[in-house]
Amino acid sequence: MCDIKHIEYDQLSSPSEQHRALTKDGAGLIHWRDIQRFLYSHYLLTGVRQAVGALTPAVVIVASGHSYSAGLTMSIGALCVAIVDQAAGGQPQTRNAMLLAMSFSVVSAFITGLVSAHSLLMWMVVPVLTFLFSMLAVYGVRGGLLGFVSLLIMTLTMRAPMTLSEVFAYSGYLLGGGGFYFFYSLVVRRFFRAREVRETLAAAFFSMADYLRSRAALYDNRQDLDVAYRGLIRAQSAVVDAVQTLDHDRCPAILVNTLQRLLTNFVDTRTDFSSIRNDLHEPVVLNAMHDTLMKMADRMARLALNIARNRATYAEPLAPASMEMIRRALKESSNEQYSPEKSNASVVLQQVYERFCRAQVMLNELAQHTANRDSSSNTVVPVSPTSAYSRPPIAQERWRLGLYLGSLRLSAPSFRHALRVTVAVLLAMSVSYAMAQTFQDDALKAIGTHGYWVVLTVIVVMKPGFALTHQRNGWRLAGTLIGCGVALVLFHLIQDTALYLAVLFLFGVLGYAFIQVNYLVSALCNTVLVLAAFHLLSPGGDVVVGARFVDTVLGCAVALLCSYILPTWEVRFLPGLANELTAANIRLLKAAIVVIEAQHDTADQARKSWSMAERAVYAALSRFSASFYRMMNEPMRHQQQAVIFNHVMIQNHVLAMQVMHVVATAESKPTATKEIKRALLDAKKLLEVQDVVVDTNNERYSMNEPHSVSGRVVPSMALQQLADAAEAISQDMARVQSPQANALPGVVKATQQ
């Protein structure tokens, strides 16, 4: 049993609670603790670095007596490089991405500038450039950012016709600004490297706190179990991604490894929670479990904040009353005060209690390592190469021309996306041209002059996925509307130029910092930034504010309309992603068998294969769950087989977690190796069965060579759950391939959340 004592301390909320109120009951403004979390995040550090680097060229050029236009152009060049200078990126990848962004932006500006004085050529070249740059999304996230940078420069260069000399000067200013930011970023990141490492490590700890809160929701009878479990999978993907983005050459290995052990410790499955909810019928015990996990989440958040602030956290016990309540329930169970039908729930209760005890020990270990800064165990050394989190699960994007050319087909999602963006840009150019011809009156001239904002809005809003485009559309529109209101207030309150420069810097920092955290806030800040910059150039620009809003509304409308052109619905990819996820679990089962059978001389190689299989499962689960969540945001008629895909996601997660659990059990209890190996072999055989037939009339399944594992007496509930999950996946995958399958018996229908 664990020795638990009571301790009180401040509690920190999770990102899902960052919009809760600053009142005692949780309604109102954002809580100070959420603000504190943001202030010590690597997002804010990145925002400051990007804003200073992007605005410095304009300030220096204007202060030295040169034209505002030259300074603004250099800042635009710096901005394009800053866009790909994301937080927590690896040094070589980030450096290469910045060089590519600088090159692509100059090429885009030069080509667009050459044709800017020729209307016919402009209408021919811009669509071609739009298509070619949009196709860069085939290279993943970094490719998408490079494509966006190129399109951004293309749009800004379309503002006015240029002579040849002006084109060379404009391209030179862009190159100068980009080059300045490149070297500036290398120097600043080297100088603040220790702080960035601390803050990215703190972000991983905060993600773990969010994961614990999501797990606590599973003990709450008021919440739907399927909905809560999907939230758990999403939170787990977030914490795994956060750990994988760490710079493992510089993070304290002991902290990363302990964090990994803490995550691995929680391998409770959906079946566990079903047993507790259905058989235990003890709200007091459930509340105690929920309370214990919430306090663990608060402690983890406190650790994260102190790591970011470079402060010590001391080991302290927590949740004594809740743990004592669970312990008493276990004692009553051992005295046979529970009815026989509650025996399974009692076994699960024992497992949960033991995991809570281990978790509290690990939390104290983390606190001790942060408190003892001089300890050799806290030195910065690489993580063990056998760690499941030591490398990113997805290989870095490789810039192969064959991948680009091979995607030039109508069935390719990147090709369809490029076509949609091209049509949208053409339509936006037509709208801009019509506005320029219509609004000739001096009072409304700004609307026609800034018509290219329609094209800019289309470039910013349109994303490869239908759901992402619609989501970004709403955020952009709402952020622009609020930002225009804020800008109008500032224009009437502030008259000092120095204050406007301070506003530019403040909203520039916030715009960059929130772009990965909250796009609505980022759009708001960027709107104020742009309008303040134009107000500095030509004061009294209330009409410019209106023009900005009108152009944004038109751009969002164009993007919304064009998102229905050759849309790529997520249901097209989910069967393939389900196959990929199942295949990853088969590799995990094979690796688990190899680890169990490995002799001493082959143990290292077996552990490496196991580590690679773990990473592959996490990556496949992350891709599948992300696609599933996007599908649930699409129109109802395209949410096909949502119940089955939801079940596939849950059962694959259950299987992976139980495989990891039983492998750890085999290492600690060699006597159970035989039964564990047999269960793993049976599960692997179930998943490898290819000839599965579904009878949709009576909803029964038949296989050429059935291997019913669930009926076998197994030595532990973990093996039973592993077997049941494998059997359920085999049946689910048969239904995925059946066009008549629209429902799955015994599964609660996925909600539209």
Side-chain angles (χ1 to χ4, degrees):
M1 297 297 177
C2 25
D3 181 21
I4 309 295
K5 297 181 181 178
H6 182 64
I7 184 69
E8 295 288 346
Y9 54 89
D10 291 337
Q11 297 180 354
L12 298 174
S13 57
S14 66
S16 62
E17 299 172 314
Q18 287 183 359
H19 302 288
R20 293 181 58 184
L22 186 55
T23 59
K24 293 183 180 179
D25 61 354
L29 299 175
I30 297 176
H31 199 286
W32 163 246
R33 291 187 293 269
D34 300 322
I35 299 175
Q36 199 174 27
R37 172 175 175 173
F38 174 73
L39 291 176
Y40 287 98
S41 70
H42 61 296
Y43 297 114
L44 182 59
L45 178 64
T46 301
V48 172
R49 181 179 71 244
Q50 292 175 324
V52 172
L55 294 177
T56 295
V59 174
V60 171
I61 293 296
V62 174
S64 62
H66 292 77
S67 67
Y68 181 86
S69 177
L72 181 61
T73 303
M74 290 193 68
S75 283
I76 291 173
L79 165 66
C80 291
V81 181
I83 287 174
V84 299
D85 184 23
Q86 298 298 322
Q91 287 295 323
Q93 292 81 12
T94 302
R95 186 167 55 246
N96 294 339
M98 288 194 292
L99 289 173
L100 285 173
M102 191 166 25
S103 303
F104 276 59
S105 60
V106 171
V107 169
S108 177
F110 188 78
I111 295 176
T112 308
L114 286 178
V115 300
S116 61
H118 308 280
S119 178
L120 181 60
L121 285 177
M122 177 74 78
W123 284 84
M124 295 173 59
V125 171
V126 167
V128 173
L129 291 179
T130 300
F131 179 83
L132 294 177
F133 289 138
S134 298
M135 279 291 297
L136 290 175
V138 74
Y139 294 112
V141 175
R142 292 190 185 276
L145 287 176
L146 288 174
F148 171 73
V149 164
S150 306
L151 293 174
L152 175 65
I153 287 296
M154 180 195 74
T155 305
L156 296 177
T157 310
M158 292 166 53
R159 291 177 297 172
M162 295 185 185
T163 63
L164 183 61
S165 60
E166 289 174 336
V167 171
F168 278 102
Y170 182 75
S171 302
Y173 284 131
L174 288 176
L175 183 62
F180 164 79
Y181 185 90
F182 176 78
F183 291 107
Y184 156 84
S185 178
L186 294 181
V187 173
V188 171
R189 294 191 74 160
R190 185 177 184 86
F191 186 74
F192 288 99
R193 185 173 297 171
R195 178 169 179 174
E196 186 173 4
V197 168
R198 289 199 310 270
E199 291 181 346
T200 52
L201 182 61
F205 275 62
F206 276 124
S207 296
M208 185 65 199
D210 299 336
Y211 172 77
L212 292 173
R213 293 181 190 277
S214 297
R215 179 165 290 277
L218 292 164
Y219 294 102
D220 189 351
N221 267 326
R222 297 169 298 179
Q223 299 197 34
D224 180 84
L225 188 57
D226 273 6
V227 175
Y229 201 86
R230 288 201 303 273
L232 177 70
I233 295 175
R234 189 196 298 266
Q236 177 175 296
S237 297
V239 68
V240 170
D241 291 342
V243 174
Q244 289 169 345
T245 57
L246 295 174
D247 187 345
H248 293 280
D249 293 332
R250 299 188 176 277
C251 288
I254 191 67
L255 293 180
V256 178
N257 286 332
T258 306
L259 182 63
Q260 174 190 339
R261 286 169 47 220
L262 181 62
L263 179 61
T264 306
N265 177 67
F266 289 101
V267 292
D268 305 85
T269 67
R270 183 178 182 276
T271 310
D272 291 335
F273 301 112
S274 297
S275 299
I276 291 177
R277 287 190 179 192
N278 297 332
D279 301 332
L280 195 58
H281 298 302
E282 293 288 348
V284 176
V285 179
L286 287 175
N287 291 337
M289 296 180 192
H290 179 274
D291 181 65
T292 302
L293 277 171
M294 292 298 290
K295 284 184 167 55
M296 287 183 186
D298 295 335
R299 172 66 62 83
M300 181 60 68
R302 179 70 174 272
L303 277 165
L305 184 60
N306 284 343
I307 287 174
R309 296 186 298 188
N310 200 24
R311 294 183 183 177
T313 305
Y314 297 96
E316 297 170 334
L318 71 160
S322 300
M323 291 296 288
E324 177 60 25
M325 192 173 299
I326 301 173
R327 191 187 66 79
R328 280 202 305 267
L330 284 171
K331 187 176 180 180
E332 293 173 1
S333 176
S334 63
N335 293 335
E336 299 182 351
Q337 295 185 21
Y338 277 166
S339 58
E341 60 267 17
K342 296 182 180 180
S343 58
N344 285 341
S346 300
V347 172
V348 174
L349 186 63
Q350 176 69 41
Q351 294 176 348
V352 170
Y353 181 73
E354 291 174 355
R355 288 164 184 161
F356 283 0
C357 290
R358 290 195 298 268
Q360 293 191 44
V361 171
M362 294 177 199
L363 284 171
N364 286 337
E365 288 179 9
L366 290 170
Q368 290 171 355
H369 294 314
T370 58
N372 188 8
R373 301 182 188 180
D374 297 328
S375 171
S376 59
S377 65
N378 204 33
T379 55
V380 176
V381 294
V383 179
S384 169
T386 60
S387 168
Y389 305 97
S390 57
R391 301 185 190 93
I394 305 173
Q396 295 293 333
E397 297 91 341
R398 300 182 63 183
W399 300 93
R400 295 182 288 106
L401 182 61
L403 180 61
Y404 189 99
L405 297 177
S407 299
L408 294 174
R409 62 184 191 278
L410 190 59
S411 60
S414 54
F415 185 86
R416 290 179 168 225
H417 167 64
L419 281 180
R420 283 194 298 272
V421 177
T422 302
V423 174
V425 166
L426 277 172
L427 183 56
M429 289 175 63
S430 301
V431 171
S432 300
Y433 178 78
M435 291 170 60
Q437 299 301 315
T438 302
F439 298 107
Q440 298 291 337
D441 186 82
D442 291 341
L444 301 176
K445 193 172 182 179
I447 298 179
T449 304
H450 299 102
Y452 66 92
W453 276 344
V454 180
V455 181
L456 185 60
T457 300
V458 168
I459 296 300
V460 171
V461 166
M462 294 204 72
K463 296 296 175 186
F466 180 89
L468 290 176
T469 298
H470 277 232
Q471 188 180 59
R472 181 66 67 96
N473 211 320
W475 288 343
R476 176 77 175 183
L477 194 58
T480 301
L481 174 62
I482 301 172
C484 288
V486 172
L488 281 175
V489 173
L490 292 176
F491 292 168
H492 289 85
L493 292 180
I494 300 177
Q495 305 299 329
D496 190 352
T497 303
L499 288 178
Y500 270 113
L501 291 176
V503 167
L504 283 174
F505 177 75
L506 173 63
F507 282 92
V509 169
L510 294 178
Y512 283 114
F514 275 103
I515 196 165
Q516 295 186 57
V517 179
N518 190 316
Y519 184 75
L520 187 150
V521 176
S522 178
L524 185 160
C525 296
N526 287 330
T527 298
V528 177
L529 174 69
V530 171
L531 292 176
F534 276 101
H535 188 71
L536 275 176
L537 187 62
S538 55
D542 286 2
V543 177
V544 175
V545 176
R548 171 71 169 178
F549 181 69
V550 169
D551 293 336
T552 300
V553 170
L554 291 173
C556 289
V558 169
L560 179 64
L561 177 64
C562 293
S563 64
Y564 288 93
I565 299 175
L566 295 175
T568 305
W569 306 112
E570 292 296 331
V571 72
R572 285 186 54 199
F573 306 107
L574 279 171
L577 292 172
N579 288 329
E580 178 190 3
L581 180 55
T582 304
N585 262 325
I586 292 175
R587 289 194 296 272
L588 186 69
L589 287 164
K590 292 179 179 178
I593 296 170
V594 172
V595 167
I596 292 176
E597 294 178 338
Q599 302 296 325
H600 181 72
D601 55 341
T602 60
D604 288 344
Q605 183 61 39
R607 293 300 302 179
K608 289 180 180 179
S609 299
W610 166 257
S611 178
M612 293 176 63
E614 275 187 304
R615 293 197 300 271
V617 166
Y618 281 125
L621 182 63
S622 177
R623 285 192 288 267
F624 182 89
S625 60
S627 181
F628 174 78
Y629 294 135
R630 288 195 296 268
M631 184 187 75
M632 299 307 291
N633 288 324
E634 292 177 347
M636 286 288 296
R637 64 181 181 275
H638 296 290
Q639 297 178 19
Q640 301 173 16
Q641 296 183 306
V643 177
I644 300 176
F645 287 128
N646 175 62
H647 200 239
V648 167
M649 179 175 63
I650 290 175
Q651 292 301 324
N652 272 281
H653 181 265
V654 169
L655 177 64
M657 294 299 100
Q658 288 302 340
V659 171
M660 296 175 192
H661 173 55
V662 299
V663 167
T665 302
E667 293 177 344
S668 60
K669 298 179 180 178
T671 56
T673 299
K674 184 177 179 180
E675 284 297 325
I676 290 175
K677 179 181 175 183
R678 185 171 64 179
L680 293 173
L681 285 170
D682 287 340
K684 181 175 76 71
K685 198 169 185 180
L686 268 173
L687 296 186
E688 288 177 338
V689 171
Q690 298 296 324
D691 191 6
V692 183
V693 180
V694 180
D695 183 353
T696 56
N697 295 324
N698 57 18
E699 297 179 343
R700 296 180 61 184
Y701 303 87
S702 62
M703 293 176 283
N704 285 347
E705 189 179 354
H707 302 280
S708 179
V709 187
S710 57
R712 175 184 297 164
V713 178
V714 290
S716 73
M717 185 175 293
L719 294 185
Q720 181 67 59
Q721 292 167 0
L722 187 153
D724 291 343
E727 193 167 15
I729 293 170
S730 180
Q731 296 171 355
D732 291 340
M733 292 306 296
R735 283 188 165 266
V736 166
Q737 306 302 327
S738 173
Q740 292 82 18
N742 294 315
L744 184 63
V747 180
V748 180
K749 186 173 182 179
T751 59
Q752 310 304 315
Q753 294 186 5

